[in-house]
Amino acid sequence: MKVVIAEKPSVAREIALLLGAKEKKEGYLMGNGYQVTWAFGHLVTLAMPEDYGVTGFQREALPVLPNPFLLTVRKVKKDKSYVRDLGALKQLNVIDQLFKNCESIIVATDAGREGELIFRYIYEYLNCSKPFERLWISSLTEKAILNGFNNLKPGKDFDGLHQAALGRSRADWLVGINASQALTIANGSGIYSLGRVQTPTLAIICKRFLENKSFVSKQYWQIELEHRKEFIDFKSLSTIKWEGSKQAEDALKSLQRHGIATVIANETKTVNEQPPLLFDLTALQKEANIKLNLSAEETLNIAQSLYENKFISYPRTGSKYIPEDMWVEVSKLIWILEEMEKFKGVVAKMKIGRLNKRIVNDLKVTDHHGLLITGKVPSALSAKEKAIYEMIAYRLLEAVSPICIKEITDVVFQVIHYDFELKGIKIIDAGWRAIKGSFSDEEKDPIQDLPELKIDDEVKIKASRVLEKKTKPPALYTEASLLSAMQNAGNQIGNEEERNVLQEIGIGTPATRAAIIETLFKREYVKRDNKLLVPSEKGLKVYELVKEMKIANAAMTSEWELVLQKIENNEENMANFQREIEVYTTTITHEILALSIAVENQPEFICPRCKVQRIAIRDKLVKCKDENCNWVQFRNICGIQLNLIDLEALITKGKTSLLKGMISKSGKKFDAFIVMNENGETSFVFPQKKKRR
């Protein structure tokens, strides 16, 4: 009997159906010589400090450097401590029995670094020594799964992948646990979180935010001219940027009196614009954030759902290319799109026999190829799933279409002694841009038709105006631009040789960047302001404390990502990497513990319930220090955060000032006082409406 282990039950059911394992058992399916079971993500994880005898936050215990690292059943938070997840324990016992009684194992967890680690942790924790093979597939279609089972790969072929996953997991543990505990101890109150990738990402957001806020905008003025020739209207803009409005107005009057613009330069060039490559996960997340306002995590979850329903290939890919042997499948996928009303007209115009092979590159395909649709026509999709599917489908059609040929004309006019520039863009062959009918990136490169213009031609000034403008600060990050910054973090390295090596590495991986961004939201370090990412006071405080330290250095994290890639390719040793991380962890732990953090002078209040013990003031709540009293007051009430002045008024006088703009459960705004009774219980008191005379 062979045991197949998948990453989640839904995938296990698909595999079991194809293998003929239809008999349902507790925690697995059986039949035709197979037992198909599943994990629920990480059933086994690295043990926590308390498993090594380190409880609470102890300065003298840091840094915690496990040797060896221990594994434990996944834990969940219950009350104030962590306990073993009973559901995970139950499924792990099922897997243990299956492993003990089988001949061999087939690993069918997701084909990537994290999927490999999920299996290996289970395998090691159960002390299993049975031989195993790997199912390595890029889609969950019937054809892909059956082909994968006919071409199972030896488990040892993925030892490099396992070592890289292990190195990443241990590095995150060492840095995250020790740095977080050190900062919490150094601060003296509140719980703080730092991380190997999380903190450099926070630093990127905070640095840009502070640059934006400190930017001093300067006014300047330009003159815009309107022209008309051969029944074509077009505009030109002055090359001079005047620092004063009066200077610009004086120049405008001179120009209006002159009334004629003369062509002094004219250059026309033909530009071949290559089609975009296929999406990798990061590119898809960026596009979905810009076009659909979806978060990186939302996009990943939608793509994962489409993958599990067999509509697209494996989404956690870092490649935008396909291997040569997949090229024959592309035309079949395009014909499948023709069956859909949305794409019928577009596909009909494509020359299937003359597709652009730019996406074919064996050397640039990593574990998985670029995102593709599959041979299964989608049905019953939600609106967001439909939008993401169509995004991937359109990108495939664009990627294999011909180049777009443009004719770009740059012209310079002279009026008196002032120069004016204008640009004309003419589409010679739309090529791939005809797929969606978008012929230009309007913000960067607006299309403007020009008449024929030759040197010394004179053109009348039809209208003219002064434009008042301001220099713009560095834009705050959106999730799309943050993903780009994370992806290109290696570009920050000063050494040109190292920068060239690391320019495509970045921090995090396509599969983990969404989770890193979400962690910053959960820690309340960052919040959303429409599409913009803005650091909170807590986030800025953490940044100010660690910004000069190595833990906030995105370039260093990029270097580690490169080492992890080399470990995956069996070019580097994981043990050496771990030793480097341990040295680094020791350094940053001592750096953080040595911080002199000025604790804000907080007022001391007596508990309003027990009237004896003092209360502790935290970011989210205030509470009695006596566990038996257990009085708690949350600081965020209907969207309004109680500041120290209001807290003092509430606890000592029993009533806050009038709090404006609170939001009810139904979403309506209201104003109210918060009052407290003798038992420390709070309620609203609404202001009396003034009577009309």
Side-chain angles (χ1 to χ4, degrees), residues 144-161:
I145 293 172
L146 292 176
N147 186 52
F149 270 94
N150 289 329
N151 295 279
L152 292 170
K153 301 178 184 294
K156 62 181 177 58
D157 287 2
F158 300 91
D159 285 350
L161 182 68

Side-chain angles (χ1 to χ4, degrees), residues 143 275-278 320-335 350-362 365 369 372 395-402:
K143 180 181 176 182
L277 296 167
L278 297 174
K320 297 180 179 182
Y321 297 86
I322 61 170
E324 180 71 45
D325 60 10
M326 276 200 68
W327 178 246
V328 292
E329 299 294 322
V330 169
S331 57
K332 296 174 186 176
L333 297 178
I334 293 173
W335 288 126
M350 295 185 70
K351 297 174 182 176
I352 306 296
R354 297 170 57 190
L355 297 177
N356 188 335
K357 288 186 71 174
R358 183 169 176 248
I359 58 172
V360 177
N361 191 326
D362 286 324
V365 176
H369 54 70
L372 291 171
R395 179 54 64 91
L396 167 62
L397 297 178
E398 288 177 332
V400 297
S401 293

Side-chain angles (χ1 to χ4, degrees), residues 396-531:
L396 167 62
L397 297 178
E398 288 177 332
V400 297
S401 293
I403 58 174
C404 171
I405 304 173
K406 295 178 177 179
E407 191 175 83
I408 299 177
T409 302
D410 290 300
V411 179
V412 180
F413 282 152
Q414 191 172 66
V415 187
I416 315 174
H417 55 275
Y418 300 111
D419 288 351
F420 289 78
E421 293 178 330
L422 60 155
K423 177 181 281 190
I425 299 176
K426 185 178 179 182
I427 304 294
I428 306 300
D429 185 342
W432 65 271
R433 283 196 173 273
I435 296 296
K436 288 194 289 189
S438 174
F439 299 109
S440 180
D441 301 318
E442 285 298 322
E443 287 185 14
K444 300 178 186 174
D445 213 7
I447 287 180
Q448 177 175 235
D449 284 332
L450 293 181
E452 185 179 347
L453 294 167
K454 301 189 294 293
I455 300 291
D456 295 330
D457 277 358
E458 292 186 341
V459 180
K460 285 185 179 181
I461 298 171
K462 181 183 167 188
S464 55
R465 66 184 63 84
V466 172
L467 303 179
E468 184 179 340
K469 297 186 176 184
K470 285 184 178 181
T471 53
K472 294 181 179 179
L476 296 178
Y477 282 111
T478 62
E479 284 202 40
S481 57
L482 178 62
L483 286 165
S484 290
M486 294 173 76
Q487 189 175 32
N488 300 316
N491 294 341
Q492 299 178 26
I493 295 171
N495 182 297
E496 186 177 351
E497 187 177 339
E498 290 182 12
R499 187 168 63 246
N500 290 336
V501 173
L502 291 165
Q503 62 182 346
E504 294 182 9
I505 300 298
I507 58 175
T509 64
T512 61
R513 286 175 189 138
I516 294 298
I517 295 170
E518 287 303 315
T519 297
L520 293 175
F521 291 128
K522 288 173 187 170
R523 303 282 188 245
E524 296 184 342
Y525 287 168
V526 175
K527 52 192 176 183
R528 288 186 178 94
D529 182 2
N530 293 320
K531 290 181 74 169

